[in-house]
């Protein structure tokens, strides 16, 4: 979560989340803070893989998180890891990626 960094572990089908710790509303697709209510943002979020909907299945949540993780790892690898070190980094994180159902070739 952006503001207080608390992890969220429960997903009840609504992508407009409210932090149990600080009360901030945020988007489960992109994690953008949305004041106290994230519903309007979620329905129109560019990362929403079910556009217009604020509710979706846990499978959609998992797919959205996989896309987000691959995107962020790609940015990190491009900006922070020297080209000659990328294969070694991929080898080191291979099991971690497997644990979250990401193919190392996607990073």
């Amino acid at each position: 979560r952006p503001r207080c960094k608390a992890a969220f572990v429960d997903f009840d089908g609504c992508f407009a989340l409210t932090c149990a710790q600080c009360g901030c509303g945020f988007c489960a697709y992109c994690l953008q803070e949305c004041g106290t209510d994230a519903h309007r943002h979620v329905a129109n979020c560019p990362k929403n893989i079910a556009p217009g909907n604020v509710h979706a299945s846990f499978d959609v949540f998992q797919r959205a998180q996989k896309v987000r993780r691959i995107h962020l790892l790609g940015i990190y690898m491009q900006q922070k890891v020297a080209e000659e070190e990328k294969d070694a980094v991929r080898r080191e994180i291979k099991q971690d990626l497997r644990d979250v159902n990401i193919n190392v070739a996607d990073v």
Side-chain angles (χ1 to χ4, degrees):
R1 256 261 321 110
R3 183 185 306 165
C4 68
K5 307 288 188 219
F8 65 96
V9 293
D10 296 330
F11 178 75
D12 64 3
C14 183
F15 279 76
L17 302 176
T18 302
C19 178
Q21 184 168 318
C22 72
C24 175
F26 65 101
C27 176
Y29 285 110
C30 70
L31 305 183
Q32 179 176 318
E33 288 191 27
C34 303
T36 58
D37 186 2
H39 288 87
R40 183 181 310 246
H41 169 82
V42 170
N44 299 296
C45 180
K47 307 280 187 199
N48 186 336
I49 61 176
N53 295 305
V54 296
H55 292 89
S57 68
F58 187 66
D59 180 60
V60 170
F61 176 78
Q62 288 181 310
R63 286 186 299 156
Q65 293 306 306
K66 181 177 179 177
V67 168
R68 187 180 69 80
R69 288 174 178 141
I70 290 170
H71 174 74
L72 292 173
L73 283 165
I75 291 171
Y76 180 84
M77 292 290 282
Q78 182 181 30
Q79 294 178 356
K80 303 288 185 179
V81 180
E83 194 62 42
E84 62 274 6
E85 296 175 358
K86 288 182 181 180
D87 286 338
V89 169
R90 287 185 184 104
R91 280 192 301 276
E92 290 295 320
I93 65 172
K94 186 175 184 175
Q95 183 59 52
D96 295 316
L97 294 175
R98 190 176 297 137
D99 291 346
V100 292
N101 199 31
I102 295 175
N103 186 327
V104 72
D106 292 336
V107 176

